[in-house]
């Protein structure tokens, strides 16, 4: 298996040890491979990446004020369901039993010799335990320019029954994909009416964008903000009412979607044909279009790369200002 990456790499979060400098990477470059076993990108964040390699969880990039490349203890790979974070770095993980784990990067905080995940009871305060909800994943919208003292301004929670909940700041309902009411306040988790009856298998969120990928391979996105100078055309219109706060995405004439990744201001999508399409901000090379094309792309563009061909199994992740693609040459597309 191989891992390719493009975008902002100032904190060495793209694990590009074979790249001469740690600046921007503008086309997808090979950064990691394993002869046996698997590579999985568990979290791609602004300043950090968490991958699984050779049966271990590894942290690359910045945590707090230091750059840190190390394995993570406290939660075995086989017990992980998802990993999440925001602009501040890695925050935690969700176990296969639905438990929430918090990431402690500093040994002085965790009283151990290396970074660790520790079980936490935070979800009980959000009504999850009371409702009997089993958590699958948490996706965090890390728009730190909304509140300087809040990094994470909205959350998406995917449940074991393939439904999703959103909660967060009441000032920006576009990030919630719903209009808060006295009965469905913003700060508490509630279902998104537009997605009622739609079985969701993956969620993603960052910056001002949220996304949900259905079991039927349809992609839904929401977010954006009024007055932004650049806007992805696939997003709902700014200021849309509740019935228009989520939009079904059409790529290349309605291609089925296998995977989606959302970063601070760009989206990467994998189609059933093994193609990767991108849109949004490319200032740091995160779209993988090359040095000469670093602008904002409002429409979907297909990216060329070593994954092209139908004999490979792919996955895509994105975070901050970077995008990563995992290639399994032995796999089959559509799995």
């Amino acid at each position: 298996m191989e891992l390719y990456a493009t975008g902002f790499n100032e904190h060495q979060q793209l694990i590009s040890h074979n790249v001469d400098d740690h600046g921007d990477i503008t086309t997808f470059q090979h950064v990691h491979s394993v002869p046996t076993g698997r590579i999985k990108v568990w979290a791609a964040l602004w300043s950090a990446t968490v991958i699984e390699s050779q049966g271990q969880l590894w942290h690359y990039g910045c945590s707090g004020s230091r750059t840190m490349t190390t394995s993570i203890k406290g939660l075995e790979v086989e017990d992980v369901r998802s990993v999440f974070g925001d602009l501040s770095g890695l925050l935690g993980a969700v176990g296969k039993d639905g438990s929430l784990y918090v990431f402690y990067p500093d040994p002085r905080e965790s009283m151990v010799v290396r970074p660790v995940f520790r079980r936490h009871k935070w979800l009980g305060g959000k009504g999850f335990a009371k409702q009997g909800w089993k958590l699958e994943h948490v996706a965090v919208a890390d728009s730190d320019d909304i509140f300087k003292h809040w990094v994470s301004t909205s959350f998406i929670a995917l449940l074991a029954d393939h439904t999703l909940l959103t909660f967060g700041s009441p000032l920006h309902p576009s990030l919630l994909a719903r209009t808060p009411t006295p009965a469905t306040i913003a700060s508490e988790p509630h279902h998104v009416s537009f997605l009622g009856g739609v079985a969701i298998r993956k969620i993603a969120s960052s910056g001002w964008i949220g996304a949900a990928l259905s079991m039927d391979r349809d992609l839904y996105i929401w977010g954006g903000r009024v007055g932004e100078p650049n806007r992805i055309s696939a997003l709902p219109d700014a200021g849309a009412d509740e019935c228009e706060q989520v939009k079904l995405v059409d790529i290349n004439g309605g291609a089925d979607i296998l995977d989606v990744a959302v970063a601070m201001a760009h989206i990467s999508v994998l189609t059933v044909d093994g193609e990767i399409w991108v849109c949004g901000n490319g200032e740091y090379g995160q779209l993988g279009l090359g040095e000469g094309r670093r602008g904002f792309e409002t429409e979907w563009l297909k990216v060329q790369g070593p994954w092209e061909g139908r004999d490979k199994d792919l996955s895509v992740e994105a975070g901050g200002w970077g995008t990563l693609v995992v290639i399994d040459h032995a796999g089959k597309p559509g799995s």
Side-chain angles (χ1 to χ4, degrees):
M1 298 188 73
E2 297 178 309
L3 179 63
Y4 286 78
T6 187
F8 180 76
N9 192 41
E10 187 67 31
H11 304 293
Q12 304 172 43
Q13 68 271 34
L14 298 183
I15 29 183
S16 50
H17 53 273
N18 59 337
V19 176
D20 291 337
D21 60 41
H22 297 297
D24 300 340
I25 307 171
T26 59
T27 58
F28 282 93
Q29 295 193 26
H30 177 267
V31 295
H32 188 68
S33 62
V34 294
T36 60
R38 75 169 185 170
I39 299 172
K40 179 178 173 62
V41 179
W42 282 101
L45 310 170
W46 171 70
S47 61
T49 306
V50 178
I51 73 165
E52 173 190 338
S53 179
Q54 302 292 312
Q56 290 263 353
L57 287 177
W58 290 88
H59 177 285
Y60 293 84
C62 187
S63 180
S65 60
R66 60 193 175 113
T67 299
M68 181 174 64
T69 300
T70 181
S71 60
I72 307 172
K73 301 301 182 181
L75 187 59
E76 298 297 324
V77 166
E78 57 267 24
D79 296 325
V80 178
R81 188 172 297 280
S82 65
V83 178
F84 62 95
D86 63 6
L87 276 174
S88 65
L90 177 60
L91 294 179
V94 177
K96 287 186 176 178
D97 62 354
S99 298
L100 183 76
Y101 291 79
V102 172
F103 177 64
Y104 291 92
D106 192 333
R108 292 170 297 179
E109 296 176 7
S110 58
M111 302 303 292
V112 295
V113 296
R114 67 179 62 208
V116 66
F117 282 124
R118 282 190 166 178
R119 194 185 300 264
H120 193 59
K121 298 180 179 179
W122 173 79
L123 291 180
K126 288 293 179 183
F128 283 80
K130 181 175 63 177
Q131 296 292 337
W133 290 328
K134 184 177 179 181
L135 188 66
E136 291 278 309
H137 182 47
V138 175
V140 184
D142 39 18
S143 309
D144 70 331
D145 54 344
I146 297 178
F147 295 121
K148 294 302 180 183
H149 60 288
W150 274 16
V151 174
S152 306
T153 57
S154 74
F155 301 83
I156 313 170
L158 178 63
L159 304 183
D161 63 0
H162 302 293
T163 63
L164 66 81
L165 310 167
T166 63
F167 55 101
S169 168
L171 300 183
H172 297 274
S174 66
L175 289 173
L176 302 175
R178 60 183 175 88
T179 300
T181 68
T184 60
I185 62 175
S187 60
E188 295 293 339
H190 291 280
H191 289 92
V192 175
S193 59
F194 187 96
L195 297 175
V198 178
I200 302 299
R201 69 180 182 88
K202 182 176 181 179
I203 56 175
S205 182
S206 187
W208 290 86
I209 303 168
L213 181 61
S214 77
M215 301 292 287
D216 292 329
R217 297 177 174 176
D218 291 322
L219 176 62
Y220 302 86
I221 64 174
W222 58 89
R225 50 181 167 170
V226 177
E228 57 190 345
N230 297 300
R231 187 178 182 86
I232 295 172
S233 297
L235 286 170
D237 294 337
D241 59 25
E242 183 172 11
C243 66
E244 297 173 325
Q245 286 181 346
V246 180
K247 193 172 180 180
L248 178 64
V249 172
D250 183 351
I251 295 178
N252 198 27
D256 284 352
I257 308 301
L258 289 181
D259 204 2
V260 60
V262 175
M264 285 296 293
H266 76 280
I267 309 174
S268 303
V269 167
L270 169 67
T271 71
V272 73
D273 298 315
E275 298 175 346
I276 293 179
W277 294 72
V278 297
C279 63
N281 185 22
E283 179 181 358
Y284 299 95
Q286 59 266 52
L287 300 184
L289 300 174
E291 182 64 34
R293 196 157 189 176
R294 287 184 178 230
F296 194 99
E297 303 292 344
T298 60
E299 305 295 336
W300 295 104
L301 293 174
K302 179 184 173 183
V303 183
Q304 305 295 321
W307 50 79
E308 292 185 278
R310 302 181 62 85
D311 59 343
K312 305 174 182 69
D313 185 19
L314 308 177
S315 64
V316 61
E317 291 295 340
W321 301 314
T323 306
L324 300 102
V325 175
V326 176
I327 303 178
D328 182 359
H329 292 276
K332 297 179 180 179
S335 61

